[in-house]
Amino acid sequence: MQLKQLSGDNAMKRTCKDVGARWLDSRVPEQRTGEEALKFSDECWAEGLRLAASRENHYQHIMDVVRWSLTKSKKKLPEGALWQDGQQREG
């Protein structure tokens, strides 16, 4: 399945949620490690599910999603959370 790269604020919010859901669905809790997160980032990039234009920033955004998944109490991204680059995102 080929995924399209989305653009714009609403698309980025949707993409972030898609990535979070995909991370949780594709790995059982025991597989949610740093090494798997790196593989996951590469998988998303290769399939066009990108959270940033550059690969380095995409990786950082994926790590934000992964960190969220390890500390979350609900399946919703935190309201008003900030990306590594200081941009705000909504859950």
Side-chain angles (χ1 to χ4, degrees):
M1 175 173 67
Q2 195 70 23
L3 301 172
K4 293 181 181 178
Q5 183 175 359
L6 302 170
S7 61
D9 290 342
N10 288 334
M12 184 60 82
K13 290 175 193 174
R14 182 174 149 216
T15 304
C16 186
K17 288 181 181 182
D18 292 345
V19 167
R22 182 176 175 162
W23 170 250
L24 294 173
D25 290 343
S26 67
R27 271 51 174 195
V28 296
E30 296 78 25
Q31 290 178 312
R32 296 179 193 154
T33 64
E35 186 176 325
E36 283 298 311
L38 182 56
K39 291 178 190 176
F40 179 72
S41 177
D42 290 341
E43 290 168 12
C44 290
W45 183 267
E47 294 179 20
L49 187 59
R50 299 177 181 179
L51 297 182
S54 75
R55 196 170 192 145
E56 295 80 14
N57 287 338
H58 165 77
Y59 172 78
Q60 290 300 321
H61 294 324
I62 293 287
M63 293 304 111
D64 285 342
V65 171
V66 169
R67 280 189 290 276
W68 159 80
S69 76
L70 296 173
T71 60
K72 69 175 181 51
S73 60
K74 298 179 181 178
K75 280 196 171 186
K76 183 179 179 191
L77 291 174
E79 296 272 342
L82 294 177
W83 289 113
Q84 291 274 338
D85 60 8
Q87 293 180 346
Q88 192 170 26
R89 67 174 183 232
E90 294 178 9

